[in-house]
Amino acid sequence: MLITSWNVNSVRARISNILDYLKKSKTDILMLQEIKTEEINFPFAEFKKVGYNSYVFGQKSYNGVAFISKVKIDEVKTDFLVDERKQSRVIVGDIQYKKNSIKLVNIYVPNGNPIDTDKYDFKKNWLNLFNLKIKKALIKNKNIIIGGDFNIIPEKIDVHDYKKYENDALFKLEIRKKFLELINLGFHDIYRYYNKEKQEYTFWDYTSGAWPKNNGLRIDHFLVSNNILDKIKNVNINKNPRSKVKPSDHTPIELLIN
DNA sequence: ATGGCCGAGATCCTCGGA
């Protein structure tokens, strides 16, 4: 089973790119972030036409997350984390896979820039709350996959020029520590687990020729709980969608389960 | 050496993104 996470930077602006991707990749479950629309304007029919059901937690203009899935997702919840600004950043659901129940947690973490504003505090508070919610969720189900746009560069290897990001909300030590705290609850950053030395990115800014220069960041991640680590067959950053016309600034990360 | 963009929702600019 193939599970993909992709920040699409508007589901409506990106609909043909997303449909192309589904056709080519045959992904079973697509976890979307930054859909930038409410449920009322979500393209349910377009996905239904190609065999996918949509589970949507939308918001007007900003944020918004969704599952696009060929398989049934149970217990879909949009109140896993309710932040102080009531933003649509987390949707969770359970899948049955080979007699295991796996909880999928699809997240869009706040950006947090600039760091001298309340946006940065919002990100810190958000991550604290998220870690707490995951800690509680692990008590009920030890099979958890967290996927999404974390807006966190875990290590120096995950950015083209780390010195430029030392005072950026994506790479500040304080933020990376929150990511480590989350991992220490019992997860692996599955991309880095399989690729100890590889330098690949999931995001390239639209500006400054970042894509042709490969000035990227690895900020989209899959965290897999220890209990199901042996069920993971492969993980891949698929750069193809970033090279298309009218692309998202992020590209999909794909997780293959045994 | 620097900087270059894009989407939504409202106008012809602002906000947010990273």
Side-chain angles (χ1 to χ4, degrees):
Chain A
M1 177 158 68
L2 188 64
I3 303 177
T4 300
S5 170
W6 190 11
N7 177 324
V8 287
N9 185 20
S10 168
V11 69
R12 287 180 288 167
R14 215 68 59 214
I15 187 68
S16 60
N17 297 45
I18 300 171
L19 291 173
D20 278 354
Y21 173 76
L22 289 175
K23 197 174 174 182
K24 281 200 189 112
S25 68
K26 299 183 167 59
T27 193
D28 296 284
I29 303 173
L30 178 57
M31 297 162 63
L32 295 180
Q33 302 89 35
E34 271 207 277
I35 61 171
K36 291 187 170 179
T37 181
E38 295 171 300
E39 282 85 338
I40 183 130
N41 292 317
F42 190 89
F44 287 95
E46 282 87 337
F47 291 124
K48 190 75 197 171
K49 229 182 281 173
V50 292
Y52 291 83
N53 282 317
S54 303
Y55 307 82
V56 181
F57 185 27
Q59 186 178 331
K60 197 175 188 173
S61 302
Y62 311 115
N63 312 317
V65 286
F67 292 113
I68 311 296
S69 182
K70 277 188 201 170
V71 304
K72 194 156 140 285
I73 305 184
D74 300 312
E75 298 289 318
V76 173
K77 297 209 183 325
T78 60
D79 62 352
F80 182 83
L81 184 157
V82 182
D83 65 58
E84 67 231 40
R85 299 183 187 181
K86 306 240 185 305
Q87 297 182 338
S88 304
R89 293 181 175 277
V90 185
I91 187 167
V92 306
D94 297 341
I95 52 165
Q96 283 300 124
Y97 191 67
K98 294 187 177 173
K99 295 179 183 171
N100 294 295
S101 170
I102 300 177
K103 183 170 288 293
L104 299 181
V105 182
N106 178 7
I107 66 171
Y108 175 46
V109 178
N111 174 298
N113 280 314
I115 57 170
D116 56 352
T117 65
D118 58 355
K119 290 182 182 185
Y120 184 69
D121 293 319
F122 179 62
K123 182 179 194 174
K124 271 198 294 182
N125 294 338
W126 197 98
L127 287 168
N128 283 333
L129 186 58
F130 182 70
N131 288 357
L132 187 69
K133 297 291 182 184
I134 291 295
K135 194 175 180 178
K136 284 185 181 168
L138 276 169
I139 297 167
K140 288 187 185 165
N141 188 345
K142 296 207 181 308
N143 308 328
I144 299 183
I145 294 172
I146 308 169
D149 176 359
F150 284 65
N151 273 318
I152 298 175
I153 302 162
E155 301 289 346
K156 290 175 183 175
I157 190 177
D158 299 310
V159 51
H160 61 96
D161 184 355
Y162 72 88
K163 285 199 182 297
K164 283 189 179 149
Y165 285 84
E166 276 168 346
N167 285 310
D168 190 289
L170 278 65
F171 191 59
K172 268 186 84 77
L173 205 52
E174 190 176 35
I175 296 296
R176 290 155 62 198
K177 279 183 179 168
K178 303 287 172 213
F179 186 70
L180 270 184
E181 278 172 29
L182 176 59
I183 283 179
N184 288 338
L185 294 175
F187 291 89
H188 278 86
D189 170 357
I190 200 72
Y191 176 83
R192 192 50 74 208
Y193 180 78
Y194 278 103
N195 305 282
K196 300 292 184 209
E197 308 288 337
K198 216 165 171 181
Q199 190 157 20
E200 283 190 305
Y201 308 124
T202 63
F203 167 88
W204 298 260
D205 202 292
Y206 286 124
T207 65
S208 314
W211 167 248
K213 291 178 189 164
N214 195 29
N215 289 344
L217 315 173
R218 191 174 71 91
I219 54 176
D220 300 86
H221 308 297
F222 270 117
L223 302 192
V224 175
S225 66
N226 295 337
N227 210 46
I228 48 172
L229 194 57
D230 61 345
K231 306 233 173 352
I232 306 304
K233 208 170 183 183
N234 191 25
V235 61
N236 178 51
I237 294 169
N238 184 344
K239 289 192 265 298
N240 191 250
R242 185 62 180 82
S243 71
K244 300 288 184 189
V245 175
K246 211 168 139 62
S248 167
D249 39 8
H250 296 249
T251 214
I253 175 167
E254 303 166 338
L255 185 70
L256 190 61
I257 302 185
N258 241 337

mmCIF file of all heavy atoms in Angstrom, chain A residues 106-135:
data_model
loop_
_atom_site.group_PDB
_atom_site.id
_atom_site.type_symbol
_atom_site.label_atom_id
_atom_site.label_comp_id
_atom_site.label_asym_id
_atom_site.label_seq_id
_atom_site.Cartn_x
_atom_site.Cartn_y
_atom_site.Cartn_z
ATOM 1 N N ASN A 106 -2.452 13.421 9.711
ATOM 2 C CA ASN A 106 -2.059 14.301 8.608
ATOM 3 C C ASN A 106 -1.967 15.728 9.123
ATOM 4 O O ASN A 106 -2.969 16.284 9.577
ATOM 5 C CB ASN A 106 -3.117 14.175 7.503
ATOM 6 C CG ASN A 106 -2.861 15.084 6.312
ATOM 7 O OD1 ASN A 106 -1.824 15.742 6.213
ATOM 8 N ND2 ASN A 106 -3.828 15.132 5.402
ATOM 9 N N ILE A 107 -0.747 16.308 9.082
ATOM 10 C CA ILE A 107 -0.549 17.609 9.741
ATOM 11 C C ILE A 107 0.059 18.679 8.832
ATOM 12 O O ILE A 107 0.830 18.398 7.924
ATOM 13 C CB ILE A 107 0.350 17.481 10.997
ATOM 14 C CG1 ILE A 107 1.794 17.081 10.650
ATOM 15 C CG2 ILE A 107 -0.253 16.494 11.987
ATOM 16 C CD1 ILE A 107 2.745 17.160 11.832
ATOM 17 N N TYR A 108 -0.339 19.908 9.148
ATOM 18 C CA TYR A 108 0.283 21.080 8.544
ATOM 19 C C TYR A 108 0.701 22.003 9.694
ATOM 20 O O TYR A 108 -0.112 22.740 10.242
ATOM 21 C CB TYR A 108 -0.703 21.768 7.590
ATOM 22 C CG TYR A 108 -0.196 23.060 7.009
ATOM 23 C CD1 TYR A 108 1.083 23.157 6.490
ATOM 24 C CD2 TYR A 108 -0.999 24.201 6.992
ATOM 25 C CE1 TYR A 108 1.551 24.350 5.966
ATOM 26 C CE2 TYR A 108 -0.551 25.391 6.461
ATOM 27 C CZ TYR A 108 0.728 25.467 5.957
ATOM 28 O OH TYR A 108 1.185 26.650 5.444
ATOM 29 N N VAL A 109 1.970 21.921 10.043
ATOM 30 C CA VAL A 109 2.497 22.673 11.190
ATOM 31 C C VAL A 109 2.641 24.153 10.809
ATOM 32 O O VAL A 109 3.059 24.458 9.682
ATOM 33 C CB VAL A 109 3.865 22.089 11.626
ATOM 34 C CG1 VAL A 109 4.457 22.884 12.785
ATOM 35 C CG2 VAL A 109 3.730 20.612 12.000
ATOM 36 N N PRO A 110 2.323 25.078 11.730
ATOM 37 C CA PRO A 110 2.502 26.499 11.422
ATOM 38 C C PRO A 110 3.935 26.818 11.021
ATOM 39 O O PRO A 110 4.883 26.217 11.532
ATOM 40 C CB PRO A 110 2.154 27.198 12.746
ATOM 41 C CG PRO A 110 1.292 26.240 13.489
ATOM 42 C CD PRO A 110 1.746 24.869 13.066
ATOM 43 N N ASN A 111 4.085 27.773 10.122
ATOM 44 C CA ASN A 111 5.397 28.178 9.622
ATOM 45 C C ASN A 111 6.242 28.843 10.721
ATOM 46 O O ASN A 111 7.403 28.521 10.891
ATOM 47 C CB ASN A 111 5.165 29.124 8.430
ATOM 48 C CG ASN A 111 6.438 29.732 7.922
ATOM 49 O OD1 ASN A 111 7.120 30.449 8.645
ATOM 50 N ND2 ASN A 111 6.788 29.422 6.693
ATOM 51 N N GLY A 112 5.671 29.815 11.407
ATOM 52 C CA GLY A 112 6.363 30.423 12.551
ATOM 53 C C GLY A 112 7.244 31.615 12.268
ATOM 54 O O GLY A 112 7.811 32.207 13.190
ATOM 55 N N ASN A 113 7.379 32.007 11.008
ATOM 56 C CA ASN A 113 8.154 33.214 10.683
ATOM 57 C C ASN A 113 7.245 34.427 10.594
ATOM 58 O O ASN A 113 6.083 34.280 10.240
ATOM 59 C CB ASN A 113 8.901 33.026 9.359
ATOM 60 C CG ASN A 113 10.162 32.225 9.531
ATOM 61 O OD1 ASN A 113 10.942 32.456 10.443
ATOM 62 N ND2 ASN A 113 10.353 31.237 8.656
ATOM 63 N N PRO A 114 7.769 35.633 10.897
ATOM 64 C CA PRO A 114 9.110 35.895 11.433
ATOM 65 C C PRO A 114 9.200 35.538 12.936
ATOM 66 O O PRO A 114 8.188 35.536 13.623
ATOM 67 C CB PRO A 114 9.291 37.403 11.224
ATOM 68 C CG PRO A 114 8.068 37.895 10.506
ATOM 69 C CD PRO A 114 7.015 36.864 10.634
ATOM 70 N N ILE A 115 10.431 35.294 13.393
ATOM 71 C CA ILE A 115 10.587 34.719 14.732
ATOM 72 C C ILE A 115 10.379 35.728 15.861
ATOM 73 O O ILE A 115 10.271 35.336 17.010
ATOM 74 C CB ILE A 115 11.964 34.036 14.906
ATOM 75 C CG1 ILE A 115 13.104 35.019 14.623
ATOM 76 C CG2 ILE A 115 12.075 32.812 13.997
ATOM 77 C CD1 ILE A 115 14.470 34.463 15.011
ATOM 78 N N ASP A 116 10.361 37.031 15.520
ATOM 79 C CA ASP A 116 10.129 38.020 16.595
ATOM 80 C C ASP A 116 8.660 38.429 16.691
ATOM 81 O O ASP A 116 8.328 39.490 17.209
ATOM 82 C CB ASP A 116 11.015 39.259 16.375
ATOM 83 C CG ASP A 116 10.793 39.893 15.000
ATOM 84 O OD1 ASP A 116 10.068 39.296 14.168
ATOM 85 O OD2 ASP A 116 11.354 40.972 14.742
ATOM 86 N N THR A 117 7.775 37.559 16.181
ATOM 87 C CA THR A 117 6.347 37.858 16.244
ATOM 88 C C THR A 117 5.603 36.746 16.976
ATOM 89 O O THR A 117 6.187 35.720 17.314
ATOM 90 C CB THR A 117 5.744 37.963 14.823
ATOM 91 O OG1 THR A 117 5.820 36.673 14.194
ATOM 92 C CG2 THR A 117 6.499 38.970 13.976
ATOM 93 N N ASP A 118 4.310 36.969 17.191
ATOM 94 C CA ASP A 118 3.502 35.950 17.875
ATOM 95 C C ASP A 118 3.304 34.701 17.010
ATOM 96 O O ASP A 118 2.867 33.667 17.502
ATOM 97 C CB ASP A 118 2.154 36.531 18.332
ATOM 98 C CG ASP A 118 1.338 37.099 17.184
ATOM 99 O OD1 ASP A 118 1.835 37.135 16.024
ATOM 100 O OD2 ASP A 118 0.189 37.514 17.433
ATOM 101 N N LYS A 119 3.649 34.802 15.737
ATOM 102 C CA LYS A 119 3.549 33.618 14.865
ATOM 103 C C LYS A 119 4.509 32.528 15.334
ATOM 104 O O LYS A 119 4.212 31.334 15.232
ATOM 105 C CB LYS A 119 3.892 33.982 13.418
ATOM 106 C CG LYS A 119 2.846 34.837 12.766
ATOM 107 C CD LYS A 119 3.217 35.116 11.336
ATOM 108 C CE LYS A 119 2.171 36.021 10.699
ATOM 109 N NZ LYS A 119 2.419 36.215 9.282
ATOM 110 N N TYR A 120 5.664 32.984 15.810
ATOM 111 C CA TYR A 120 6.662 32.029 16.289
ATOM 112 C C TYR A 120 6.178 31.332 17.573
ATOM 113 O O TYR A 120 6.317 30.113 17.712
ATOM 114 C CB TYR A 120 8.004 32.730 16.510
ATOM 115 C CG TYR A 120 9.107 31.780 16.902
ATOM 116 C CD1 TYR A 120 9.610 30.864 15.992
ATOM 117 C CD2 TYR A 120 9.619 31.782 18.205
ATOM 118 C CE1 TYR A 120 10.613 29.973 16.350
ATOM 119 C CE2 TYR A 120 10.621 30.887 18.570
ATOM 120 C CZ TYR A 120 11.116 29.987 17.640
ATOM 121 O OH TYR A 120 12.098 29.094 18.009
ATOM 122 N N ASP A 121 5.608 32.103 18.469
ATOM 123 C CA ASP A 121 5.072 31.515 19.710
ATOM 124 C C ASP A 121 3.924 30.557 19.407
ATOM 125 O O ASP A 121 3.787 29.523 20.055
ATOM 126 C CB ASP A 121 4.591 32.621 20.657
ATOM 127 C CG ASP A 121 5.747 33.471 21.167
ATOM 128 O OD1 ASP A 121 6.805 32.894 21.479
ATOM 129 O OD2 ASP A 121 5.607 34.708 21.215
ATOM 130 N N PHE A 122 3.129 30.944 18.426
ATOM 131 C CA PHE A 122 2.027 30.069 18.007
ATOM 132 C C PHE A 122 2.564 28.707 17.552
ATOM 133 O O PHE A 122 2.024 27.657 17.910
ATOM 134 C CB PHE A 122 1.231 30.753 16.885
ATOM 135 C CG PHE A 122 0.087 29.935 16.342
ATOM 136 C CD1 PHE A 122 -0.969 29.567 17.154
ATOM 137 C CD2 PHE A 122 0.073 29.528 15.011
ATOM 138 C CE1 PHE A 122 -2.034 28.807 16.648
ATOM 139 C CE2 PHE A 122 -0.967 28.774 14.499
ATOM 140 C CZ PHE A 122 -2.032 28.420 15.333
ATOM 141 N N LYS A 123 3.647 28.723 16.784
ATOM 142 C CA LYS A 123 4.254 27.471 16.314
ATOM 143 C C LYS A 123 4.755 26.628 17.495
ATOM 144 O O LYS A 123 4.501 25.419 17.553
ATOM 145 C CB LYS A 123 5.407 27.769 15.362
ATOM 146 C CG LYS A 123 6.068 26.514 14.786
ATOM 147 C CD LYS A 123 7.200 26.863 13.824
ATOM 148 C CE LYS A 123 7.629 25.663 12.998
ATOM 149 N NZ LYS A 123 8.624 26.012 11.972
ATOM 150 N N LYS A 124 5.448 27.280 18.426
ATOM 151 C CA LYS A 124 5.973 26.555 19.599
ATOM 152 C C LYS A 124 4.845 25.933 20.418
ATOM 153 O O LYS A 124 4.906 24.755 20.790
ATOM 154 C CB LYS A 124 6.766 27.515 20.503
ATOM 155 C CG LYS A 124 8.223 27.617 20.152
ATOM 156 C CD LYS A 124 9.037 28.206 21.298
ATOM 157 C CE LYS A 124 8.672 29.666 21.574
ATOM 158 N NZ LYS A 124 9.468 30.276 22.650
ATOM 159 N N ASN A 125 3.824 26.734 20.691
ATOM 160 C CA ASN A 125 2.676 26.238 21.471
ATOM 161 C C ASN A 125 1.995 25.088 20.745
ATOM 162 O O ASN A 125 1.565 24.115 21.356
ATOM 163 C CB ASN A 125 1.646 27.358 21.714
ATOM 164 C CG ASN A 125 2.212 28.453 22.602
ATOM 165 O OD1 ASN A 125 3.166 28.228 23.342
ATOM 166 N ND2 ASN A 125 1.635 29.642 22.499
ATOM 167 N N TRP A 126 1.890 25.258 19.425
ATOM 168 C CA TRP A 126 1.230 24.254 18.590
ATOM 169 C C TRP A 126 1.982 22.921 18.682
ATOM 170 O O TRP A 126 1.376 21.864 18.880
ATOM 171 C CB TRP A 126 1.180 24.752 17.151
ATOM 172 C CG TRP A 126 0.206 24.032 16.272
ATOM 173 C CD1 TRP A 126 -1.063 24.437 15.955
ATOM 174 C CD2 TRP A 126 0.421 22.782 15.587
ATOM 175 N NE1 TRP A 126 -1.650 23.504 15.119
ATOM 176 C CE2 TRP A 126 -0.771 22.491 14.883
ATOM 177 C CE3 TRP A 126 1.483 21.898 15.500
ATOM 178 C CZ2 TRP A 126 -0.916 21.342 14.098
ATOM 179 C CZ3 TRP A 126 1.338 20.745 14.725
ATOM 180 C CH2 TRP A 126 0.146 20.485 14.037
ATOM 181 N N LEU A 127 3.299 22.987 18.585
ATOM 182 C CA LEU A 127 4.119 21.766 18.639
ATOM 183 C C LEU A 127 4.059 21.110 20.020
ATOM 184 O O LEU A 127 4.001 19.886 20.133
ATOM 185 C CB LEU A 127 5.563 22.080 18.245
ATOM 186 C CG LEU A 127 5.777 22.361 16.755
ATOM 187 C CD1 LEU A 127 7.165 22.959 16.503
ATOM 188 C CD2 LEU A 127 5.593 21.095 15.911
ATOM 189 N N ASN A 128 4.052 21.939 21.074
ATOM 190 C CA ASN A 128 3.912 21.391 22.434
ATOM 191 C C ASN A 128 2.601 20.628 22.576
ATOM 192 O O ASN A 128 2.571 19.520 23.113
ATOM 193 C CB ASN A 128 3.960 22.513 23.476
ATOM 194 C CG ASN A 128 5.386 23.001 23.693
ATOM 195 O OD1 ASN A 128 6.352 22.251 23.498
ATOM 196 N ND2 ASN A 128 5.522 24.256 24.098
ATOM 197 N N LEU A 129 1.540 21.253 22.097
ATOM 198 C CA LEU A 129 0.221 20.628 22.190
ATOM 199 C C LEU A 129 0.160 19.357 21.339
ATOM 200 O O LEU A 129 -0.367 18.327 21.778
ATOM 201 C CB LEU A 129 -0.848 21.637 21.742
ATOM 202 C CG LEU A 129 -2.309 21.232 21.897
ATOM 203 C CD1 LEU A 129 -2.630 20.900 23.352
ATOM 204 C CD2 LEU A 129 -3.233 22.351 21.402
ATOM 205 N N PHE A 130 0.751 19.428 20.143
ATOM 206 C CA PHE A 130 0.731 18.268 19.251
ATOM 207 C C PHE A 130 1.462 17.078 19.890
ATOM 208 O O PHE A 130 0.950 15.945 19.880
ATOM 209 C CB PHE A 130 1.364 18.619 17.896
ATOM 210 C CG PHE A 130 1.340 17.477 16.919
ATOM 211 C CD1 PHE A 130 0.141 17.051 16.370
ATOM 212 C CD2 PHE A 130 2.511 16.813 16.563
ATOM 213 C CE1 PHE A 130 0.107 15.978 15.483
ATOM 214 C CE2 PHE A 130 2.486 15.753 15.676
ATOM 215 C CZ PHE A 130 1.280 15.336 15.138
ATOM 216 N N ASN A 131 2.631 17.339 20.461
ATOM 217 C CA ASN A 131 3.400 16.260 21.093
ATOM 218 C C ASN A 131 2.602 15.609 22.221
ATOM 219 O O ASN A 131 2.627 14.388 22.391
ATOM 220 C CB ASN A 131 4.733 16.801 21.612
ATOM 221 C CG ASN A 131 5.704 17.120 20.486
ATOM 222 O OD1 ASN A 131 5.414 16.887 19.315
ATOM 223 N ND2 ASN A 131 6.860 17.663 20.827
ATOM 224 N N LEU A 132 1.899 16.437 22.967
ATOM 225 C CA LEU A 132 1.059 15.935 24.061
ATOM 226 C C LEU A 132 -0.062 15.032 23.528
ATOM 227 O O LEU A 132 -0.334 13.955 24.065
ATOM 228 C CB LEU A 132 0.468 17.131 24.814
ATOM 229 C CG LEU A 132 -0.302 16.847 26.090
ATOM 230 C CD1 LEU A 132 0.650 16.352 27.179
ATOM 231 C CD2 LEU A 132 -1.025 18.107 26.578
ATOM 232 N N LYS A 133 -0.690 15.481 22.437
ATOM 233 C CA LYS A 133 -1.792 14.703 21.839
ATOM 234 C C LYS A 133 -1.290 13.368 21.294
ATOM 235 O O LYS A 133 -1.977 12.344 21.397
ATOM 236 C CB LYS A 133 -2.459 15.509 20.709
ATOM 237 C CG LYS A 133 -3.124 16.795 21.159
ATOM 238 C CD LYS A 133 -4.350 16.539 21.997
ATOM 239 C CE LYS A 133 -5.028 17.843 22.404
ATOM 240 N NZ LYS A 133 -6.173 17.622 23.311
ATOM 241 N N ILE A 134 -0.099 13.369 20.715
ATOM 242 C CA ILE A 134 0.476 12.121 20.181
ATOM 243 C C ILE A 134 0.824 11.168 21.319
ATOM 244 O O ILE A 134 0.581 9.954 21.234
ATOM 245 C CB ILE A 134 1.710 12.425 19.304
ATOM 246 C CG1 ILE A 134 1.289 13.137 18.014
ATOM 247 C CG2 ILE A 134 2.481 11.149 18.982
ATOM 248 C CD1 ILE A 134 0.426 12.311 17.065
ATOM 249 N N LYS A 135 1.351 11.733 22.392
ATOM 250 C CA LYS A 135 1.682 10.920 23.571
ATOM 251 C C LYS A 135 0.428 10.183 24.058
ATOM 252 O O LYS A 135 0.468 8.979 24.340
ATOM 253 C CB LYS A 135 2.232 11.835 24.669
ATOM 254 C CG LYS A 135 2.916 11.102 25.800
ATOM 255 C CD LYS A 135 3.544 12.105 26.769
ATOM 256 C CE LYS A 135 4.247 11.363 27.913
ATOM 257 N NZ LYS A 135 4.896 12.331 28.827
#
